[in-house]
Amino acid sequence: MSVEGTWDLTVSTPIGRINAAVDLRQGGDQLTGTAHGAGEDVPLTDVTLDGNLLTWKQAVTKPLRLNLAFTVTVDGDTLTGTSRAGRLPASKVTGRRRTARATATKQT
């Protein structure tokens, strides 16, 4: 299963919804990525795909300085799962992969 592409995410947190985008790229047998949102771009670490289970970690500074751990299930061009920040309660994550047409529309 390929998870490459740009994913538009919504994270439902106790302080409100946060929209972000995640770019995932496959280089040989290594999966890498970058998250974009809240005015910052951050690299993803420990990106792993096991079947349809995708996990990664990222550090953010906005709106708060947090280390986040994502665990999502990929189903075609959609994903659902959670994001955790340390001992805080898990936040619901949903996402959709951008299609070539949607990407071209967003760039104009």
Side-chain angles (χ1 to χ4, degrees):
M1 162 188 294
S2 173
V3 294
E4 279 191 288
T6 300
W7 294 80
D8 292 312
L9 305 182
T10 300
V11 183
S12 299
T13 74
I15 61 171
R17 288 187 177 183
I18 297 173
N19 295 315
V22 170
D23 292 318
L24 294 171
R25 300 289 174 248
Q26 185 78 42
D29 55 353
Q30 184 173 3
L31 195 55
T32 61
T34 305
H36 313 277
E40 63 182 343
D41 298 332
V42 296
L44 306 183
T45 60
D46 300 330
V47 184
T48 305
L49 180 63
D50 184 8
N52 64 345
L53 184 66
L54 175 64
T55 60
W56 74 87
K57 295 177 183 173
Q58 68 186 73
V60 297
T61 60
K62 298 176 185 175
L64 301 168
R65 185 176 301 276
L66 297 169
N67 293 314
L68 304 174
F70 286 78
T71 302
V72 298
T73 301
V74 179
D75 183 11
D77 290 333
T78 62
L79 60 78
T80 57
T82 59
S83 170
R84 279 192 97 72
R87 295 182 181 172
L88 296 175
S91 296
K92 181 180 175 185
V93 177
T94 58
R96 178 166 290 284
R97 185 179 353 216
R98 290 184 193 168
T99 62
R101 180 180 170 147
T103 301
T105 303
K106 286 187 179 258
Q107 292 177 352
T108 58

